[in-house]
Amino acid sequence: MPETVRGPVADLGATLMHEHVFGLSPEILWNWPDIPEEWDLEARALEAAGKLDALKAGGVDTIVDLTVVGLGRYVPAVRRVAELTSVNIVAATGLYTYDALPPYFANRGPGSLFGGPDRLAEFFVRDITEGIGRTGVKAAMLKCASDHLGMTKGCERVFRAVAEAHLETGVPITTHSHSASRGGLAQQELLASLGVDLGRVVIGHAGDSTDVAYLEELVANGSYLGMDRFGIETISSFEDRVAIVAEMCGRGHAGRMVLGHDSYCFNDRFDADVVRRRHPNYHLLHISRDVLPELRKRGVTDDQIDQMLVGNPRRIFA
């Protein structure tokens, strides 16, 4: 059974595959006095639970929280949210960087200043098999990233460690990719060379692209497409995001797409008021309220929507 923050569940139900509960800046919280006024764990947990309860009322049962090291993961706070809501939260492990590794890892491991073993895979496996920190919460998804800089040495180390942890545990992989440079293809090439079955991989942010040939190639290689930034309209408009999902459904690929917003319940790295003004659709209810009705208008069937929200996540975590 799939692991969630509250433990294993029999069925995830309708699932948004790329979301975040909290994104925090620990060194800011530790060292500057004004920030803790924004971050009160219990108040923010209640706020997040309220947002997730509204999501449940909109027909979604589960979110996959892809906040990993590098994005301000703090699982005790997420565990508190899980106690307050009936929405399932799936936790992830991995490391988020577009380039260099954090010094803890950059100064250890092959090719580093001091050498020694690479502990990335060790930590990822521990998160999956024993739990994250001392929380007892087990991760059920691995995450790695590359962006406009391509597959840097730091990114490659993370991908290699993620592949190693995947092969040891069987946990699926999702990526952050840069669609403008067709970056998902390089990710697939590396993961496949490391023995990963690409059918166990979601190429995240594929929905930023309107390049059908690129998306067809990702699907032909076996991966799922993360159509997972609905509401981030500075990268790709609402019209383009809906149109490309409808187009790929029309091409018979509903069985290879998953949906999400890449949204946060609370993220201290952005000014919340500015985000609300500039990105009014960047919230957890956008898919339920706006995207699904528009997809139906464009001929996407309820069966295809069910595939993207229920069937595909179920297969990914099987």
Side-chain angles (χ1 to χ4, degrees):
M1 294 192 293
E3 285 283 350
T4 74
V5 172
R6 288 193 300 268
V9 296
D11 190 11
L12 296 174
T15 303
L16 299 180
M17 287 289 291
H18 197 128
E19 307 297 346
H20 303 272
V21 179
F22 297 128
L24 302 174
S25 304
E27 288 189 279
I28 307 300
L29 290 170
W30 294 339
N31 290 292
W32 279 305
D34 55 329
I35 302 301
E37 294 174 11
E38 297 180 18
W39 174 250
D40 176 275
L41 192 155
E42 188 66 16
R44 291 300 181 185
L46 287 165
E47 178 185 72
K51 292 178 179 181
L52 292 173
D53 288 345
L55 180 64
K56 180 78 169 185
V60 174
D61 305 295
T62 301
I63 64 164
V64 180
D65 181 358
L66 291 178
T67 315
V68 296
V69 173
L71 288 172
R73 183 178 72 173
Y74 185 50
V75 173
V78 179
R79 183 178 58 185
R80 179 61 181 138
V81 175
E83 292 169 354
L84 296 169
T85 181
S86 61
V87 172
N88 302 310
I89 304 171
V90 176
T93 187
L95 192 146
Y96 187 90
T97 180
Y98 297 165
D99 189 3
L101 294 171
Y104 182 94
F105 297 107
N107 292 330
R108 293 172 165 86
S112 70
L113 180 62
F114 297 102
D118 187 343
R119 303 196 69 189
L120 282 167
E122 172 197 339
F123 286 2
F124 300 162
V125 169
R126 186 188 303 172
D127 282 358
I128 294 163
T129 59
E130 299 178 22
I132 299 166
R134 295 178 177 85
T135 65
V137 172
K138 294 180 179 179
M141 177 67 90
L142 284 150
K143 183 180 182 182
C144 43
S146 62
D147 202 78
H148 62 289
L149 297 173
M151 190 62 69
T152 66
K153 289 182 179 179
C155 291
E156 183 175 340
R157 264 187 66 186
V158 178
F159 272 74
R160 288 183 177 277
V162 160
E164 183 179 337
H166 162 77
L167 293 172
E168 183 169 339
T169 65
V171 164
I173 298 169
T174 193
T175 74
H176 165 107
S177 71
H178 187 247
S179 285
S181 60
R182 297 165 63 92
L185 295 173
Q187 296 179 342
Q188 287 183 317
E189 182 180 7
L190 177 57
L191 290 171
S193 75
L194 297 169
V196 174
D197 173 1
L198 294 181
R200 304 282 290 141
V201 176
V202 179
I203 301 298
H205 311 328
D208 290 352
S209 178
T210 57
D211 183 346
V212 172
Y214 167 60
L215 299 179
E216 287 276 13
E217 193 169 351
L218 294 176
V219 169
N221 289 338
S223 296
Y224 290 87
L225 305 178
M227 317 307 267
D228 52 27
R229 273 181 161 175
F230 281 103
I232 305 179
E233 294 169 13
T234 50
I235 298 172
S236 184
S237 68
F238 175 80
E239 167 64 29
D240 284 346
R241 290 190 185 280
V242 170
I244 195 62
V245 172
E247 171 71 19
M248 295 302 284
C249 283
R251 289 169 170 262
H253 298 313
R256 283 289 156 184
M257 289 187 287
V258 294
L259 304 180
H261 305 91
D262 195 14
S263 68
Y264 287 80
C265 294
F266 174 76
N267 183 358
D268 70 14
R269 292 168 301 158
F270 300 102
D271 184 301
D273 291 334
V274 173
V275 171
R276 276 191 289 270
R277 287 197 305 271
R278 296 185 181 178
H279 306 275
N281 292 322
Y282 183 52
H283 57 78
L284 280 170
L285 299 179
H286 180 44
I287 287 175
S288 299
R289 290 179 177 175
D290 307 313
V291 174
L292 297 185
E294 187 61 29
L295 287 174
R296 291 185 177 102
K297 286 181 185 177
R298 294 170 188 244
V300 177
T301 68
D302 286 339
D303 283 347
Q304 289 173 318
I305 289 170
D306 189 71
Q307 275 187 297
M308 293 185 285
L309 285 176
V310 181
N312 296 342
R314 182 182 292 147
R315 282 192 296 275
I316 289 165
F317 287 107

